[in-house]
Amino acid sequence: MQLSIIISTRNRAKQLALALSSVFTQSLSCNLYEVIVVDNGSIDETQQIVSEFSATHDNIVYAFQSVPGLHNCRHLGMRLAKADYLVFTDDDIQASPSWLESLYCSFADHRAVIATGNILPIYADNPPKWVDYLWTRNEWGMVLGHFSLLDFGTQRKEVPADFVWGCNFAIQKELLLDVGGFHPDAMPYELRRFRGDGETHVSNELNSRGITALFHPQALVHHYIGSERLTVDYLC
């Protein structure tokens, strides 16, 4: 069994370099995963960064997606993926060394078809006090949906597919194809009325089939929260 890691990116070369560094310092053998970077029209050093990693790693692939939209990139990555299990993440994460091994274990040992783990913050600046009040508690743990943060503790557990979010989204490829993939949801401002429901479509379909996700606490990524997001204007 192998994993295909799919990272969509656009004009975030420096953050992408940090993300890739963390992906290539995993406890899981590099023979068990490939990394597919899908570039959505970057004009910075993104392609150069990927080339630098490919000079020392033979399991990284660069692809260019000219059609705008996050999920257009994810679908291209899915089509290119050689593995039966896909791991979608963002270009502004830093993965813990146990991330991929824990997801691999979720599929290989626990027979999961969709899996995730904690998503904790790396704040660019000290967050305003009001950020603390954005966290909400449910029966599985704590979430801060505005920043795609999730803290479900230290125990493996089954959770609704609604809590498998894009920066830590692992799924059986056959299942994702069967539910029709992601509906597009990254659209220009003036075309917002045409946008789809992205990951929500996938989780809704899995919910309707009674399929739950496996949460593995060591499948941990840290999500970078930039200064521009720590404002009331951003939340509005």
Side-chain angles (χ1 to χ4, degrees):
M1 192 191 86
Q2 290 189 316
L3 305 175
S4 291
I5 318 309
I6 299 169
I7 304 175
S8 304
T9 190
R10 177 179 166 84
N11 291 334
R12 284 180 171 174
K14 292 181 179 179
Q15 290 179 324
L16 177 64
L18 293 173
L20 289 174
S21 293
S22 71
V23 171
F24 285 115
T25 52
Q26 294 289 301
S27 58
L28 185 70
S29 169
C30 62
N31 296 324
L32 295 177
Y33 66 95
E34 65 172 348
V35 179
I36 302 170
V37 178
V38 184
D39 182 353
N40 202 195
S42 298
I43 57 173
D44 63 0
E45 299 80 26
T46 291
Q47 188 170 3
Q48 178 184 338
I49 291 293
V50 179
S51 295
E52 291 172 0
F53 277 92
S54 64
T56 53
H57 300 85
D58 59 7
N59 59 333
I60 185 169
V61 175
Y62 173 86
F64 189 86
Q65 171 59 279
S66 60
V67 181
L70 170 62
H71 289 103
N72 291 320
C73 293
R74 288 179 171 172
H75 286 161
L76 175 57
M78 177 175 63
R79 291 193 297 271
L80 295 173
K82 297 176 182 178
D84 293 329
Y85 294 87
L86 311 177
V87 181
F88 296 94
T89 192
D90 292 346
D91 57 7
D92 58 354
I93 63 96
Q94 293 181 41
S96 67
S98 60
W99 178 52
L100 291 181
E101 184 175 4
S102 300
L103 292 175
Y104 186 94
C105 172
S106 298
F107 294 122
D109 297 342
H110 299 283
R111 308 304 180 199
V113 291
I114 181 168
T116 192
N118 283 319
I119 308 169
L120 303 180
I122 301 175
Y123 292 114
D125 297 307
N126 290 329
K129 185 63 179 176
W130 49 259
V131 169
D132 293 341
Y133 297 99
L134 298 177
W135 287 91
T136 59
R137 180 175 292 278
N138 58 36
E139 63 183 283
W140 302 281
M142 300 286 291
V143 297
L144 200 170
H146 300 84
F147 298 150
S148 298
L149 303 177
L150 183 148
D151 185 352
F152 278 1
T154 60
Q155 301 297 319
R156 285 195 301 267
K157 63 189 80 174
E158 289 189 359
V159 301
D162 309 73
F163 295 112
V164 183
W165 293 343
C167 54
N168 201 358
F169 193 111
I171 190 169
Q172 184 186 55
K173 182 178 181 179
E174 181 181 0
L175 179 61
L176 184 59
L177 288 168
D178 188 52
V179 301
F182 303 103
H183 289 171
D185 73 348
M187 303 289 284
Y189 184 83
E190 65 275 12
L191 299 178
R192 285 180 306 157
R193 64 188 183 279
F194 296 120
R195 79 184 203 174
D197 50 7
E199 298 151 22
T200 305
H201 158 70
V202 178
S203 59
N204 285 345
E205 183 63 29
L206 296 182
N207 288 338
S208 72
R209 300 183 186 192
I211 297 174
T212 57
L214 179 66
F215 166 84
H216 196 305
Q218 278 75 53
L220 165 67
V221 300
H222 287 86
H223 192 200
Y224 178 76
I225 311 298
S227 302
E228 73 283 355
R229 301 181 71 184
L230 297 171
T231 66
V232 173
D233 284 346
Y234 171 81
L235 293 177
C236 291

